[in-house]
Amino acid sequence: MTVPSPLDDAQLQYEASPYPPRDPRDEAIRLITGTPSHILEINHYLFSGRLNFNRPFRALIAGGGTGDACIMLAQQLAERKCPAEIVYLDVSETARRICEARAHARGLRNIHFLTGSLLDLPAADVGAFDYIDCTGVLHHLPDPAAGLRALSSVLQPDGGVGVMLFGQYGRSGVYPLQELLRTLAPPTMAVEDRVAIAKRLIRFLPTTNLFRRNPYLNDHVTGGDAGLYDLLLQNCDRAFTVPQISALAQQAGLRVVAFLEPVRYEPATYMSDPVIARQASALPMLERAAFAERLSGNLRTHVFYATRAGFDTVARPEDTSAIPVLREMDAQKFAAGLQHGTPLVANLDGFPWRAQLPALAARIVAQIDGRRSVAEIYTSLGALGGLPRWEDFYTQFEDLYVKLNGVNHMLLRFRP
Ligand SMILES: C[S@@+](CC[C@H](N)C(=O)[O-])C[C@H]1O[C@@H](n2cnc3c(N)ncnc32)[C@H](O)[C@@H]1O
């Protein structure tokens, strides 16, 4: 594939200052894991937990940037000895070099690097993919729908995508500030001057300004100058609501199967009035998600999985041969922390979430080893004495699953 010429403003900026900034030397000390594209999530949401890692698996990381998703997935597939090929694609040579250096530092040999635009995929000879990651890219394209259609054109019929797009309500305050900066610091100015003016403007915003009143926008602080540019100086940047995402997916022949983390997309998370919570909770999944984003107002990004398959691709706990897996957590330590009825708490971008876990939570969690199924966990609890009735156990397991899966701690898989 060839780099489209000339590069547009956003592409030139990513070329000059790849985002997010990453140092390949850090691979020696940690693996960055995230959402989407964690192998446990791909398996759970797009392949019903039934991926067979002995079979070939092809993934495309479209707009791979400095490589977080690419490195995470390549590492996870390598650890499972999967005969996988990850294709990394980005218009930026600089970003590609950083991802290549990260792969080299880890000794990963399952990545094939390409430079070019994802818009050229339909005509490119790249084959079909089981999975495509595209995070933080489509909302910078002049026509995001054309971008998603281009990705869908190289997806296997039963394949799926993991996408991150900006969220409209949570980015409240961003777009008026972007417009101010288009007047004060137009794209014709040098990038350093534009960044300097943006910093001055932010420092002196009136207390009533929407950007200043949105405390959850912090990329300009945590991401340095590249983060500031990405948040405020992109020429092409738009944000989406849940219904708009659903429509975008449909135009590309895709169906949204989940938004992550699930608890953020449940109205009951934010609503203590039982009548309103019950009414909203009865809605279908996409309507609940749309209700939740309007209610919470703080969803700055939307991560979703969507599939081309015409059948249910999400692993469900009703099949008791499901194997619960804890994500990046030590089951014994977690179980120890759950003794004495300690509630599960999470900070959902400023919203304090708290869930009471069932009485058996600590005992169940202590039995989760990524190999035992739900039915086998019940049997091993029995071996430890004081076996509850199956119905009681299963009701409590389901309650625990909904809460832990809700904050992305627990996923399911099946033996292939
Ligand atoms: C905000 S970065 C996100 C990088 C990465 N996906 C991540 O989440 O860390 C956006 C990336 O998309 C790339 N990009 C922009 N337009 C593209 C296009 N048409 N085709 C492929 N990559 C593109 C940029 O070069 C940049 O590396």
Side-chain angles (χ1 to χ4, degrees):
M1 295 176 81
T2 51
V3 186
S5 182
L7 292 181
D8 68 23
D9 176 59
Q11 291 168 350
L12 279 172
Q13 170 56 20
Y14 283 125
E15 190 64 42
S17 177
Y19 186 74
R22 293 287 179 247
D23 184 343
R25 285 172 298 187
D26 292 341
E27 297 311 312
I29 46 174
R30 53 97 187 96
L31 173 70
I32 295 180
T33 58
T35 295
S37 302
H38 192 291
I39 192 63
L40 294 177
E41 287 175 13
I42 294 173
N43 195 9
H44 178 110
Y45 289 106
L46 293 172
F47 296 98
S48 315
R50 295 182 190 277
L51 266 182
N52 181 345
F53 295 108
N54 295 323
R55 299 230 181 99
F57 185 81
R58 291 194 80 228
L60 170 69
I61 313 291
T66 46
D68 284 359
C70 182
I71 296 297
M72 169 178 68
L73 187 55
Q75 180 71 46
Q76 291 173 338
L77 288 166
E79 281 165 9
R80 286 162 177 78
K81 299 189 173 20
C82 179
E85 183 191 36
I86 317 281
V87 175
Y88 165 103
L89 171 69
D90 203 292
V91 285
S92 161
E93 292 271 7
T94 326
R96 168 182 168 160
R97 276 195 290 277
I98 293 170
C99 187
E100 278 174 331
R102 293 176 71 183
H104 181 74
R106 292 187 163 272
L108 292 168
R109 294 171 180 280
N110 52 1
I111 308 172
H112 179 65
F113 287 91
L114 293 177
T115 299
S117 170
L118 64 85
L119 294 170
D120 295 335
L121 282 167
D125 185 17
V126 290
F129 297 92
D130 301 293
Y131 175 71
I132 299 177
D133 166 283
C134 191
T135 57
V137 184
L138 295 177
H139 46 227
H140 291 313
L141 300 182
D143 184 355
L148 194 57
R149 280 198 303 272
L151 297 181
S152 184
S153 75
V154 291
L155 195 59
Q156 290 280 10
D158 295 345
V161 297
V163 180
M164 186 278 271
L165 290 173
F166 289 149
Q168 185 169 301
Y169 303 120
R171 280 170 71 84
S172 137
V174 167
Y175 296 97
L177 203 56
Q178 283 190 0
E179 279 167 36
L180 291 183
L181 285 167
R182 244 167 245 140
T183 308
L184 291 171
T188 44
M189 257 187 189
V191 168
E192 311 80 72
D193 296 339
R194 298 180 74 201
V195 168
I197 289 176
K199 283 181 180 168
R200 287 183 86 96
L201 183 63
I202 293 169
R203 209 172 312 131
F204 293 104
L205 285 174
T207 49
T208 49
N209 177 272
L210 280 177
F211 184 84
R212 183 154 172 190
R213 288 164 66 95
N214 187 344
Y216 309 116
L217 297 166
N218 51 15
D219 294 6
H220 59 301
V221 182
T222 57
D225 286 1
L228 182 144
Y229 189 101
D230 206 54
L231 185 66
L232 296 172
L233 291 166
Q234 290 280 4
N235 228 4
C236 190
D237 166 344
R238 57 162 297 195
F240 292 80
T241 63
V242 164
Q244 286 168 349
I245 287 176
S246 174
L248 194 76
Q250 269 180 30
Q251 285 177 46
L254 298 165
R255 179 173 53 86
V256 176
V257 295
F259 282 96
L260 261 61
E261 295 110 340
V263 78
R264 293 177 189 262
Y265 291 88
E266 289 297 340
T269 299
Y270 311 100
M271 181 43 63
S272 358
D273 181 274
V275 176
I276 296 175
R278 207 174 316 118
Q279 198 181 339
S281 298
L283 296 167
M285 188 273 276
L286 287 174
E287 287 177 46
R288 290 204 308 281
F291 195 110
E293 73 162 340
R294 291 175 187 133
L295 193 59
S296 67
N298 71 344
L299 299 177
R300 287 170 295 146
T301 58
H302 292 301
V303 169
F304 62 95
Y305 285 103
T307 182
R308 278 186 76 181
F311 45 83
D312 187 14
T313 62
V314 182
R316 310 277 174 194
E318 289 80 21
D319 182 338
T320 58
S321 64
I323 299 170
V325 190
L326 292 176
R327 193 186 145 150
E328 281 112 40
M329 288 178 117
D330 180 281
Q332 299 312 318
K333 278 197 200 136
F334 186 33
L338 294 177
Q339 303 292 349
H340 317 299
T342 318
L344 188 64
V345 292
N347 181 343
L348 306 178
D349 285 324
F351 181 82
W353 180 75
R354 192 185 159 87
Q356 204 56 50
L357 296 179
L360 284 174
R363 290 177 62 195
I364 295 175
V365 166
Q367 296 304 314
I368 294 177
D369 61 1
R371 288 185 294 274
R372 283 191 196 111
S373 67
V374 177
E376 287 160 351
I377 288 174
Y378 178 68
T379 311
S380 41
L381 278 186
L384 296 172
L387 188 66
R389 282 178 38 233
W390 165 256
E391 291 74 17
D392 290 344
F393 163 81
Y394 187 72
T395 307
Q396 294 199 37
F397 171 78
E398 222 178 6
D399 182 20
L400 179 68
Y401 166 76
V402 168
K403 287 165 182 163
L404 294 187
N405 174 261
V407 284
N408 221 359
H409 289 339
M410 187 190 282
L411 294 143
L412 300 175
R413 70 174 190 87
F414 290 84
R415 288 188 187 101

